[in-house]
Amino acid sequence: MALSAADLQRRHQLEGAPDPFPSLADPTPRAPKIPAPTELELDTDSQSAFPSLASSTPVSSTAIKPAWGSATGPRIKPNVVKAPVFADSFTLSAIDLSNTGKDGKPATLGEIMKQVMAKYKVKVEASANQKARQTTFHIKAETQKELDKAKRSLLALLSPVITLIIHAPASTIASIIGPKGATLKQIRDQTSVRVDIPPRDSLAVPNGNGHANGSASGKATPSSVDEDEEPTIPVTLTGPQPLAYEAQALLNQIISSKTSKATQRVRDIPSHVLPFVIARRATFLAAAEGGDVHLTLSSAAREITVSGDREAVVRVVEVIKTTVQGFNGSLTSLKISLPKRQHRLLVGKAVDEIMAKAKCAVVVASHDDPSEEVTVWGQGNDLPTGLRAVMERANSQYIHEFPLPGPIATSRQILTYMIRIQYAQTLTTAHPGVSVFFPTPAAIEKAQTLNIDLVGEKSAVDAVIRQISELIGKLIGATRSISIDWLIHRIITGKNAKKLKQLQDLHNVLVIFPNEAAEQSTVVLVYDPASPSSSLSPDEKKKHLDDVEKEVAKFAKDAADVKSEKVPVEARWHDAVVGTGGTTLNALIGEDKTLSIKVGAEAGDPSTTDVILVRGASVDVDKAVKEILKIVENAKNDEIVNSHSTEFDIDKEYVGRVVGAQGAGVNKLRDQLGVKVDVSDDVDEKEKESGKKRKTVHQKSKVKITGRKENVEEAKRRILSQIERLADETSEVLKISSQYHSSLIGQSGKYAIRLEEKYSVKITFPRQSAENGEGKTREQLKADEVLIKGGKKGVAGAKSELLDAVEFEKESNNVLKFTVPNRAVARILGKGGVSINEIKDNTEAQIDVERASEDGGSVTNVTVRGTKKAINAAKAAILAIADQVAEETTVAVTVESRFHRTLIGAGGQGLKDLVSRCGGPSDPRLQAGLIRFPRQGEPSDEVKLRGEPKLVIKLKAELEKAVAVLRERVILGVEIPAVQHRALIGRGGQHLNDLQNKRDVQIQFPGSRSYNQVGEPENMVDLAEVDAADLVKVSGSRAAAEATVEELKGQIKPPTPEGIVDTLTVPLKYHHVISQQGSFFRALRSFGVHVDQSKQPSKSAVPTKPASTEAATARIDETEDEPALEVQWEVVPNYQNAEDGDSVWTLKARDQAGLGRAQNMIQEAIANAQRMSHVGFLTLPDRSVFPRIVGSKGANVARLRNETGADITVSREDSTIVIIGSEPAIVAAKDAIVKMASNPGRPQRRYQD
């Protein structure tokens, strides 16, 4: 009996799918025959079903009395087994054991029962009724959960696996799947049945010839059914028979509750109308009148899908269609021309923003289209606003066109490298605010100049330009193109992949082959500047490129001898050569695709289309030409029909792999070659019908292929080639300790992946067990097992290399553990881990030091990993440090805080000298921790000494001696004018250090950090009237301090005679106008006059804008094409809220001439301030024009001040400019600023209707 591919899928437990080859006579899919559910009904009262089993009521759990201590019986405690308390029974009419067991041998019923009992800790009993041909199972368990799991496991193992297909309406699929797949997962978990829902893009409408689609392109065409008749989707259930029926019932229940739904589409919406329709989504939802509807948009297809309650869907669709018709008749358009680079700012989200802002839509040409035309659609009265919104958006961001250096061949080479390394993504990651756009493939092919478009803030774009320029600088002279026929690219990359990788590692040269679909023969060589070992030398680059070019040319020469041949074939026979959906052409080209066949106009012959061009290896071209001529001859004789068939046998064990999941294997042959593949299993069926038990070693299945003769032979060759590969497959389990697994796998699996790719095998390592004890891998592997699966030769090679790696790991992954005293841990680690890192670097060992235990132990565990030599060296180094740390003691010494800084010294030099005098270590790392002073700010005088007892005693004695000397010191004060302190300190403190070192004293000037910690001078009574800023403290022995004080007094310079002084009174309200933001005082100092002010104004220097309920608005008229600049202008009297009072200015001059000039200048400034009677507040729409108003270094503002006489202040916080002066002056300044802001200095754009 012949079986279809779908039947065979169900027989061999594949993921089900509808029959890919339905009968021509019955195009309508038939519903699967469902056995009567009465077969699964259980009659627990039947004596025939339960002839000898006990009741299913829970067994009493009364404890059995132990025999120990009894007067009779043995003095041995019996084994008491707790009886199970939950039980269940079920009966199976037919048991299928063909799906169990290993190595093709089915397991026995007893083995399955033992497996279930061991896995779920249950007790299973079985009894058979030969007359009724039924087997009854009774299960006992301690918990209901284990009982249910065991029952389902038995049903799954013993029931035949069947496949059911439910045709569910498309609208119910979402309900079947549930939120995030929750409903579908619940059904799968509850029934253990596989539920397969085909992806939406794989669905097609069957037609009369038995194929999914009759078109040559192979693409799905829209269904012609009525929109109200919702299409169905086949849902396939695969699993044990009773569980599959249970899942079917659950799905039918969901489907029955959702059949009141409907789906309709509004198609072919005009592209310029679609944005207006999208903006009215809320209107469409309101038309549902409370009904449950969902709207889905497909912008590419220009259609809107409405799904939900049937009546609500109809109303919403009607409103959408009416809306589309209304807009289609009322919209008008306006066309403008913008540079192509600005089009990028008018797509995507920009369309929605323009629609929301101006109620207009913008349409731009595709990027490959050279047209610069931009079309604005909208109502007539909205078009001006829409045009303004488009222009604002087009100018909203800075766009820079970065030209790649020429000639054009070099530009293409550089761009090819950038695309290969995904350089655009690298740039956007480093500069998030910048968008990078490479030229399209069409532009790369046609353009004479290639540009990279950069969009973003100018500063960020400039940074990207610098980064790109840096890369291009490294690529100059580092690229080269060579021509290799594209037909042999696949052969070169497949045969020499390892050698190409070696060339890259050896020469730092990337060999970039074009995409096979492009059919281009240009191969780009790039000396990779990103390689760590790359050189900037042009000669070095050229040498490596030359070497790689020679090697690649050698690969091309060895690959194939390519030739072209034109075959004259009349155009009417081209379809026969191409075949349905290109199937015959695919058979001629073959799987390797090293042959190019161009038919008709694609052949590129301008004189005729009655030709077929064949290019490829000479042998393949000759063979293809013969086949084409044969096909044409057969077509002429009308002898070619899809009736040729061939039959052959294959081993049954390979059927599942040939058919593929959901029939993927035979479907691929059908789509590519246009053949039909049927697999029959007559021998197996006869054995089942006769009920005979016979040992089947190599069972055969018959394969029948129907179609065009050439295609049939190609399909047969492919199937037999696949079986040959499968027959060579083997697997081997290696015993490898789990401690080496992570090293063998490598970071992100790179080592294991390399082995898999090298030997074409699959390597599986065991994963950590899940919470339920089941492994996460499909293969049941123990913790120390590694599975290698693939061809025999590949498995052997991978095994050998894997075992070699294990031996290497054993040698280099030795582990040594030992302990060190807790007191030595800090010394071993060092400050910031310096010591331990140094040991790691020197020994190349991995060292782990555990944290100190909470139980207060005296030792710390240390683990060292690496080679034997490395771990021994690391252990020796660590123990050497630990041996240096003997028993430690801690002593506290009281030292007043005022002496701490002196004892520590500059940079800790005082402590280093102290340790050195006591015979302590000279290594700073060993000195750390010997002497610890309180942290700055801690109210403590306690200094702790920790270390070896002998050294601590010496340190304590030396420290107490130094403190005693410090306590005998005296502090004397001396008056030195503050203006002379800097001279006495000297450059870099040199003079001060010389004074201190001369007599071993400390000199503290006011303002130093330790000035207040020194204490009060003894002679403070004599210095009571001295200014604190002039009081300098000298501390040391009395003789040294007194001598230093005398020396300091001798270095005091006499005060310089005072210059000419005069005073003027200036009103406080004129201070801001006179000072001119400080420039006025700088002018006075230029001719030797300094000003001291008795009082400063407390109010803001710049007048604040008064609060007003309504501001005057001035509109500046411009041309019709330019929108008017809207500003706010308000004038108020000056000084109305100014501060009252006067300030006395004291003028100190070098001579009388300078004083006179200063007095005249101040008087003129006061008179000028009196004339500044008004304040104007000019508010602009935004601050983007402020840089133009201010000018370079304030040049424009200074020019306006000189021209108008008004004082101009440009705010840094808001968009308001404050202008102070007479009323005509501020108006003139305002007009000049507005004119400057309204004329950006760029030529006006011309728009065309």
Side-chain angles (χ1 to χ4, degrees):
M1 181 183 69
L3 299 178
S4 67
D7 293 333
L8 196 65
Q9 294 167 36
R10 294 192 289 270
R11 177 171 300 278
H12 293 280
Q13 309 178 48
L14 299 177
E15 299 176 357
D19 184 4
F21 309 106
S23 173
L24 295 177
D26 187 13
T28 306
R30 296 181 179 178
K33 295 182 179 180
I34 302 174
T38 55
E39 292 183 8
L40 298 178
E41 293 181 359
L42 181 63
D43 184 7
T44 56
D45 297 329
S46 172
Q47 290 300 322
S48 61
F50 303 100
S52 59
L53 297 179
S55 171
S56 61
T57 57
V59 180
S60 174
S61 60
T62 306
I64 301 174
K65 295 182 179 180
W68 185 261
S70 176
T72 60
R75 293 170 59 86
I76 300 175
K77 187 174 181 179
N79 247 346
V80 180
V81 180
K82 186 178 179 181
V85 294
F86 292 91
D88 196 1
S89 303
F90 63 91
T91 300
L92 293 178
S93 300
I95 296 179
D96 183 4
L97 300 177
S98 62
N99 301 319
T100 60
K102 297 181 180 179
D103 301 327
K105 297 179 180 180
T108 63
L109 178 60
E111 290 174 346
I112 294 176
M113 293 172 60
K114 289 180 182 179
Q115 177 183 343
V116 173
M117 287 190 288
K119 185 174 182 180
Y120 297 103
K121 309 297 188 225
V122 298
K123 184 177 181 181
V124 181
E125 297 177 352
S127 61
N129 189 330
Q130 298 296 337
K131 293 182 179 180
R133 293 183 179 275
Q134 294 179 338
T135 303
T136 303
F137 296 88
H138 188 69
I139 310 175
K140 298 179 182 179
E142 296 181 0
T143 64
Q144 184 66 40
K145 184 176 181 181
E146 295 296 335
L147 181 69
D148 294 339
K149 288 183 178 180
K151 180 178 178 181
R152 291 191 179 277
S153 180
L154 270 178
L155 286 173
L157 293 171
L158 300 178
S159 301
V161 176
I162 64 172
T163 300
L164 304 176
I165 298 178
I166 300 175
H167 292 278
S171 61
T172 64
I173 296 299
S175 300
I176 292 174
I177 297 175
K180 297 183 179 180
T183 305
L184 189 60
K185 183 178 183 301
Q186 181 180 357
I187 295 174
R188 287 172 173 169
D189 294 343
Q190 180 178 338
T191 63
S192 301
V193 172
R194 184 181 182 88
V195 183
D196 292 316
I197 301 175
R200 183 170 299 178
D201 55 3
S202 67
L203 300 177
V205 181
N207 55 24
N209 62 5
H211 296 285
N213 202 317
S215 64
S217 64
K219 297 181 180 179
T221 55
S223 172
S224 59
V225 297
D226 188 0
E227 289 292 341
D228 293 336
E229 296 180 4
E230 188 174 2
T232 60
I233 295 177
V235 179
T236 307
L237 311 178
T238 305
Q241 188 180 47
L243 301 179
Y245 289 145
E246 181 182 350
Q248 183 187 41
L250 293 173
L251 290 179
N252 286 333
Q253 184 178 0
I254 296 174
I255 293 171
S256 62
S257 64
K258 299 294 181 180
T259 52
S260 61
K261 304 296 182 179
T263 299
Q264 293 191 30
R265 295 177 179 83
V266 181
R267 295 189 174 95
D268 300 328
I269 302 175
S271 57
H272 66 280
V273 175
L274 188 59
F276 294 91
V277 176
I278 295 173
R280 281 155 178 78
R281 176 184 176 89
T283 304
F284 304 147
L285 293 176
E289 299 178 3
D292 183 18
V293 296
H294 299 279
L295 303 179
T296 306
L297 170 68
S298 174
S299 299
R302 295 185 289 111
E303 69 176 28
I304 297 176
T305 303
V306 186
S307 60
D309 296 338
R310 185 177 300 274
E311 295 181 359
V313 167
V314 173
R315 290 194 297 269
V316 172
V317 168
E318 188 62 30
V319 173
I320 294 175
K321 290 180 178 179
T322 303
T323 303
V324 171
Q325 293 174 358
F327 279 121
N328 201 21
S330 62
L331 294 178
T332 58
S333 64
L334 178 64
K335 296 182 179 180
I336 61 176
S337 180
L338 288 175
K340 196 68 178 179
R341 62 179 181 274
Q342 291 182 296
H343 291 196
R344 298 190 184 278
L345 303 177
L346 300 176
V347 295
K349 293 183 179 180
V351 177
D352 299 333
E353 294 176 1
I354 293 172
M355 173 61 68
K357 184 176 182 180
K359 300 179 182 179
C360 289
V362 58
V363 178
V364 299
S366 66
H367 198 68
D368 293 335
D369 188 345
S371 173
E372 296 186 346
E373 186 176 89
V374 176
T375 306
V376 182
W377 288 88
Q379 303 292 342
N381 52 353
D382 293 332
L383 284 178
T385 306
L387 181 61
R388 185 161 51 249
V390 169
M391 296 304 300
E392 290 176 357
R393 182 65 185 181
N395 295 303
S396 61
Q397 287 185 288
Y398 177 72
I399 304 177
H400 179 80
E401 289 185 344
F402 186 93
L404 293 176
I408 187 64
T410 302
S411 301
R412 291 182 180 135
Q413 293 164 11
I414 294 175
L415 188 60
T416 300
Y417 172 73
M418 289 181 174
I419 294 174
R420 170 67 177 269
I421 66 173
Q422 298 181 343
Y423 195 55
Q425 183 178 354
T426 302
L427 292 174
T428 53
T429 302
H431 307 276
V434 179
S435 298
V436 181
F437 300 96
F438 285 161
T440 62
I444 296 174
E445 188 68 24
K446 299 178 182 179
Q448 295 302 316
T449 302
L450 297 180
N451 297 322
I452 300 176
D453 290 346
L454 307 175
V455 181
E457 294 293 335
K458 188 176 186 305
S459 58
V461 170
D462 291 341
V464 175
I465 292 173
R466 288 192 295 271
Q467 186 170 346
I468 296 176
S469 300
E470 181 180 353
L471 175 64
I472 291 177
K474 297 178 180 178
L475 289 173
I476 297 301
T479 62
R480 184 177 300 176
S481 296
I482 58 176
S483 181
I484 300 176
D485 198 301
W486 69 270
L487 289 170
I488 61 174
H489 287 183
R490 177 189 286 260
I491 300 175
I492 294 175
T493 56
K495 185 178 179 181
N496 304 284
K498 188 175 181 180
K499 293 182 179 179
L500 290 173
K501 183 65 170 64
Q502 291 174 349
L503 288 176
Q504 179 180 348
D505 296 338
L506 180 61
H507 297 281
N508 295 325
V509 174
L510 281 174
V511 182
I512 305 175
F513 289 88
N515 190 346
E516 185 177 347
E519 298 185 359
Q520 295 179 353
S521 299
T522 302
V523 178
V524 178
L525 308 181
V526 182
Y527 184 79
D528 191 0
S531 175
S533 58
S534 62
S535 172
L536 297 178
S537 170
D539 296 336
E540 191 75 12
K541 296 178 183 178
K542 183 178 184 301
K543 178 180 177 300
H544 287 291
L545 289 173
D546 291 341
D547 293 343
V548 174
E549 182 178 1
K550 292 178 182 178
E551 292 295 327
V552 175
K554 183 179 178 182
F555 297 157
K557 183 178 180 181
D558 296 341
D561 180 17
V562 178
K563 76 170 186 178
S564 302
E565 185 171 342
K566 289 185 178 180
V567 184
V569 177
E570 294 183 28
R572 59 180 177 143
W573 307 118
H574 289 178
D575 289 342
V577 176
V578 174
T580 304
T583 53
T584 305
L585 201 58
N586 288 337
L588 291 172
I589 294 174
E591 286 185 295
D592 293 337
K593 296 184 179 179
T594 56
L595 197 66
S596 171
I597 301 178
K598 301 295 184 182
V599 181
E602 294 182 355
D605 190 340
S607 61
T608 179
T609 59
D610 296 338
V611 68
I612 296 178
L613 176 64
V614 184
R615 293 185 68 248
S618 300
V619 177
D620 294 337
V621 169
D622 294 340
K623 181 181 177 182
V625 170
K626 292 179 181 179
E627 293 292 336
I628 291 172
L629 294 177
K630 185 177 179 180
I631 292 172
V632 172
E633 185 64 26
N634 290 337
K636 289 180 179 179
N637 298 327
D638 197 24
E639 293 178 354
I640 299 301
V641 292
N642 286 328
S643 60
H644 179 78
S645 64
T646 185
E647 295 183 2
F648 56 95
D649 295 334
I650 63 174
D651 288 341
K652 183 179 178 181
E653 60 180 306
Y654 302 130
V655 171
R657 303 288 291 275
V658 172
V659 175
Q662 294 188 347
V666 293
N667 289 344
K668 182 179 179 181
L669 292 175
R670 180 197 64 188
D671 295 338
Q672 292 186 352
L673 303 177
V675 296
K676 180 178 180 181
V677 182
D678 290 319
V679 183
S680 62
D681 207 0
D682 293 339
V683 177
D684 189 39
E685 287 297 323
K686 292 177 180 179
E687 287 179 0
K688 286 191 175 183
E689 291 175 3
S690 62
K692 295 180 181 179
K693 296 181 179 179
R694 55 177 294 188
K695 186 176 181 180
T696 56
V697 180
H698 291 290
Q699 296 180 350
K700 298 290 184 177
S701 294
K702 189 177 295 295
V703 180
K704 181 180 180 181
I705 308 176
T706 305
R708 189 183 299 274
K709 181 179 179 181
E710 294 79 6
N711 299 12
V712 168
E713 292 176 353
E714 174 65 15
K716 178 180 178 180
R717 187 194 64 78
R718 293 188 186 184
I719 292 176
L720 293 178
S721 176
Q722 181 183 4
I723 292 175
E724 184 179 350
R725 292 194 301 269
L726 294 174
D728 185 55
E729 278 194 355
T730 184
S731 62
E732 189 163 350
V733 177
L734 306 181
K735 290 288 186 178
I736 299 175
S737 177
S738 58
Q739 72 183 53
Y740 304 120
H741 287 186
S742 59
S743 300
L744 296 177
I745 294 172
Q747 186 177 5
S748 302
K750 64 178 181 180
Y751 297 144
I753 292 173
R754 181 183 63 81
L755 285 178
E756 290 180 338
E757 294 176 349
K758 181 178 180 180
Y759 295 103
S760 299
V761 296
K762 174 66 176 177
I763 303 176
T764 304
F765 287 83
R767 295 186 182 179
Q768 186 178 3
S769 298
E771 295 179 358
N772 58 5
E774 298 178 359
K776 295 182 180 179
T777 53
R778 181 176 299 177
E779 293 80 4
Q780 297 297 328
L781 297 176
K782 296 181 181 179
D784 60 345
E785 292 181 343
V786 178
L787 175 65
I788 307 177
K789 188 181 294 184
K792 295 178 181 178
K793 186 177 179 181
V795 169
K799 174 184 176 182
S800 175
E801 190 165 340
L802 204 57
L803 293 178
D804 290 343
V806 172
E807 292 302 322
F808 174 78
E809 288 296 327
K810 288 181 179 179
E811 173 63 26
S812 61
N813 199 17
N814 295 281
V815 179
L816 179 62
K817 296 183 179 180
F818 57 94
T819 60
V820 296
N822 285 345
R823 64 177 179 271
V825 172
R827 187 80 57 82
I828 292 170
L829 295 177
K831 188 174 182 181
V834 174
S835 299
I836 197 69
N837 289 334
E838 183 179 349
I839 296 174
K840 289 179 180 179
D841 295 338
N842 293 337
T843 63
E844 297 182 352
Q846 181 181 349
I847 305 173
D848 296 322
V849 181
E850 294 184 0
R851 293 176 179 268
S853 58
E854 297 180 357
D855 57 1
S858 60
V859 295
T860 298
N861 294 323
V862 180
T863 304
V864 186
R865 294 181 175 86
T867 62
K868 292 181 180 180
K869 179 180 179 182
I871 63 176
N872 291 331
K875 179 181 178 181
I878 293 173
L879 293 180
I881 297 176
D883 293 340
Q884 296 175 3
V885 183
E887 291 293 335
E888 292 183 345
T889 184
T890 302
V891 175
V893 180
T894 301
V895 179
E896 291 83 344
S897 59
R898 69 177 184 271
F899 301 141
H900 289 182
R901 185 177 299 277
T902 303
L903 292 173
I904 294 173
Q909 188 61 42
L911 294 182
K912 295 177 183 177
D913 296 341
L914 179 64
V915 174
S916 179
R917 291 197 302 271
C918 296
S922 59
D923 189 348
R925 293 178 295 179
L926 300 178
Q927 291 179 350
L930 287 176
I931 306 175
R932 292 187 178 273
F933 283 83
R935 294 182 181 274
Q936 188 174 2
E938 292 184 5
S940 175
D941 294 338
E942 189 177 79
V943 178
K944 292 183 179 181
L945 310 177
R946 189 184 71 178
E948 299 177 10
K950 294 181 180 179
L951 179 60
V952 169
I953 293 174
K954 293 181 180 179
L955 289 174
K956 179 182 178 183
E958 189 70 21
L959 188 62
E960 289 176 342
K961 179 181 177 181
V963 172
V965 173
L966 292 174
R967 287 173 180 161
E968 294 177 358
R969 288 192 167 194
V970 297
I971 303 173
L972 299 178
V974 58
E975 180 183 5
I976 300 176
V979 296
Q980 299 187 29
H981 289 181
R982 185 183 299 274
L984 292 176
I985 294 174
R987 182 185 295 270
Q990 184 62 40
H991 188 229
L992 176 62
N993 291 334
D994 293 343
L995 287 174
Q996 294 181 143
N997 297 332
K998 184 176 182 180
R999 298 184 179 89
D1000 191 19
V1001 297
Q1002 292 290 328
I1003 304 174
Q1004 304 293 339
F1005 285 89
S1008 65
R1009 289 180 294 179
S1010 57
Y1011 181 81
N1012 296 325
Q1013 299 176 2
V1014 173
E1016 294 291 334
E1018 289 184 356
N1019 56 344
M1020 192 63 194
V1021 178
D1022 300 334
L1023 304 172
E1025 297 180 358
V1026 176
D1027 189 354
D1030 298 337
L1031 181 60
V1032 178
K1033 300 177 183 179
V1034 181
S1035 60
S1037 63
R1038 183 172 297 278
E1042 290 176 350
T1044 303
V1045 167
E1046 293 301 324
E1047 185 174 354
L1048 288 173
K1049 288 181 179 179
Q1051 295 181 5
I1052 298 176
K1053 296 179 181 180
T1056 58
E1058 296 185 359
I1060 303 173
V1061 179
D1062 196 3
T1063 59
L1064 284 176
T1065 301
V1066 179
L1068 286 174
K1069 63 180 179 180
Y1070 297 154
H1071 179 272
H1072 167 64
V1073 177
I1074 294 175
S1075 64
Q1076 298 178 11
Q1077 300 179 354
S1079 61
F1080 183 78
F1081 298 108
R1082 289 192 292 271
L1084 292 178
R1085 287 196 296 270
S1086 65
F1087 41 83
V1089 177
H1090 295 268
V1091 180
D1092 291 334
Q1093 304 177 48
S1094 64
K1095 187 177 181 182
Q1096 294 278 355
S1098 59
K1099 292 187 178 181
S1100 173
V1102 180
T1104 57
K1105 183 178 180 180
S1108 60
T1109 57
E1110 183 177 359
T1113 300
R1115 299 187 66 87
I1116 311 302
D1117 293 335
E1118 294 186 352
T1119 62
E1120 295 181 358
D1121 291 341
E1122 283 286 331
L1125 180 67
E1126 186 173 329
V1127 300
Q1128 292 183 357
W1129 171 249
E1130 185 174 358
V1131 179
V1132 297
N1134 196 8
Y1135 309 127
Q1136 59 180 356
N1137 295 321
E1139 188 173 356
D1140 296 331
D1142 298 328
S1143 174
V1144 177
W1145 288 15
T1146 302
L1147 308 181
K1148 299 178 180 180
R1150 292 192 298 264
D1151 49 37
Q1152 186 63 41
L1155 179 64
R1157 291 178 61 187
Q1159 290 174 336
N1160 294 335
M1161 190 173 178
I1162 294 173
Q1163 294 295 342
E1164 291 177 0
I1166 294 174
N1168 182 55
Q1170 291 174 344
R1171 292 193 295 270
M1172 293 190 174
S1173 58
H1174 290 77
V1175 181
F1177 298 95
L1178 178 63
T1179 302
L1180 300 180
D1182 59 73
R1183 297 176 51 84
S1184 62
V1185 297
F1186 275 26
R1188 193 186 314 138
I1189 295 173
V1190 174
S1192 177
K1193 298 182 181 181
N1196 291 344
V1197 171
R1199 177 176 56 80
L1200 291 177
R1201 285 174 180 158
N1202 295 332
E1203 292 177 356
T1204 63
D1207 185 30
I1208 302 171
T1209 302
V1210 180
S1211 173
R1212 296 178 181 270
E1213 286 77 22
D1214 51 33
S1215 301
T1216 300
I1217 300 174
V1218 181
I1219 307 174
I1220 305 175
S1222 62
E1223 189 168 4
I1226 65 175
V1227 172
K1230 182 263 294 182
D1231 292 339
I1233 292 174
V1234 171
K1235 182 178 180 181
M1236 192 183 303
S1238 303
N1239 297 316
R1242 294 196 297 250
Q1244 299 289 327
R1245 301 192 183 279
R1246 296 182 178 179
Y1247 307 114
Q1248 58 183 9
D1249 293 335

